Amino acid sequence: MVDVQLRRRKIRDERVLRAMLEIPREEFLPADVRLLAYQDDPVDIGYRQTISQPFMTALMAQCLELEGHETVLEVGAGCGYAAAVLGALAARVISIEIIPALAQRARENLRKTGRDRNVTVVRGDGSLGYPASAPYHAISVAAAAPDIPAGLLEQLKDPGRLVMPVGEWLDQELRVVWKEHGRMDYRVVTMCRFVPLRGGEGHG
Ligand code: SAH
């Protein structure tokens, strides 16, 4: 997976590649789809949600340029895999998940793989961010909305980076936003297709 799906594409951050080599992705999948753990696509995890394609998890993590000292907010824990990857790259990760059963599953997966030391899963609506632990050096949003929720931009440190799919159901772009010296700017990394962001400021 790491050589064919990641290294041959745009993934160059050695820390990201190492994290994805080390973390057993199959342990985060429900038993009936475990055989699909290393395929080059998203996989259904129930509740009409998916675990992202490995390349997308790697690309989003790479966009954040983590060095190891950061506090990161992830919106949309799903089964907890991306949270585990971010936990290997940063000092602390808060991952917020709106579906209670998935929040619980993410917690269990992180515990059984020994990744829960610096990763906390919170049940809640991440479209409002998670003010209790804000501000964050980096924010990764795993669900798409037509706009980036204002609360998330407010909870981003200066300097800080946020990565999120922005757009409608079938037409989304992955954006990286930089906050620096009180200003914000963004670039589009790629086109993509994520599940819709739900809740307060989501539109899905
Ligand atoms: N990070 C996952 C991807 C999960 S898919 C991975 O490791 O591959 C996106 C997740 O976002 C789903 O589990 C969905 O329930 C969740 N989600 C959608 N809207 C949300 C919201 N407003 N707050 C928190 N989680 C949300």
Side-chain angles (χ1 to χ4, degrees), residues 123-165:
R123 217 291 302 169
D125 179 3
S127 71
L128 309 170
Y130 187 64
S133 301
Y136 304 95
H137 298 96
I139 300 179
S140 176
V141 186
D147 299 297
I148 300 177
L152 292 181
L153 294 170
E154 279 159 23
Q155 289 169 36
L156 190 60
K157 261 192 195 218
D158 185 345
R161 282 172 173 252
L162 174 150
V163 63
M164 175 171 173

Side-chain angles (χ1 to χ4, degrees), residues 26-179:
E26 68 282 2
E27 296 285 339
F28 289 83
L29 285 174
D32 57 330
V33 291
R34 202 154 284 175
L35 283 174
L36 306 176
Y38 294 93
Q39 76 173 15
D40 197 9
D41 288 299
V43 178
D44 277 332
I45 55 170
Y47 309 92
R48 306 219 322 268
Q49 306 301 326
T50 54
I51 178 172
S52 298
Q53 178 194 23
F55 172 66
M56 196 49 73
T57 301
L59 185 61
M60 292 174 84
Q62 174 167 276
C63 286
L64 297 176
E65 296 185 10
L66 299 169
E67 293 175 348
H69 58 85
E70 299 87 352
T71 299
V72 180
L73 176 69
E74 185 194 29
V75 177
C79 56
Y81 175 70
V85 172
L86 294 169
L89 300 170
R92 181 153 188 251
V93 177
I94 313 286
S95 185
I96 183 161
E97 169 58 53
I98 202 165
I99 299 178
L102 284 178
Q104 187 53 32
R105 193 192 294 168
R107 267 185 216 116
E108 283 162 15
N109 288 340
L110 288 158
R111 191 178 327 117
K112 82 176 179 201
T113 52
R115 298 280 163 179
D116 58 344
R117 189 184 49 81
N118 64 337
V119 183
T120 306
V121 179
V122 178
R123 217 291 302 169
D125 179 3
S127 71
L128 309 170
Y130 187 64
S133 301
Y136 304 95
H137 298 96
I139 300 179
S140 176
V141 186
D147 299 297
I148 300 177
L152 292 181
L153 294 170
E154 279 159 23
Q155 289 169 36
L156 190 60
K157 261 192 195 218
D158 185 345
R161 282 172 173 252
L162 174 150
V163 63
M164 175 171 173
V166 178
E168 307 294 338
W169 179 227
L170 292 176
D171 180 22
Q172 302 166 9
E173 54 189 36
L174 187 70
R175 289 191 192 172
V176 191
V177 179
W178 293 264
K179 189 189 265 190

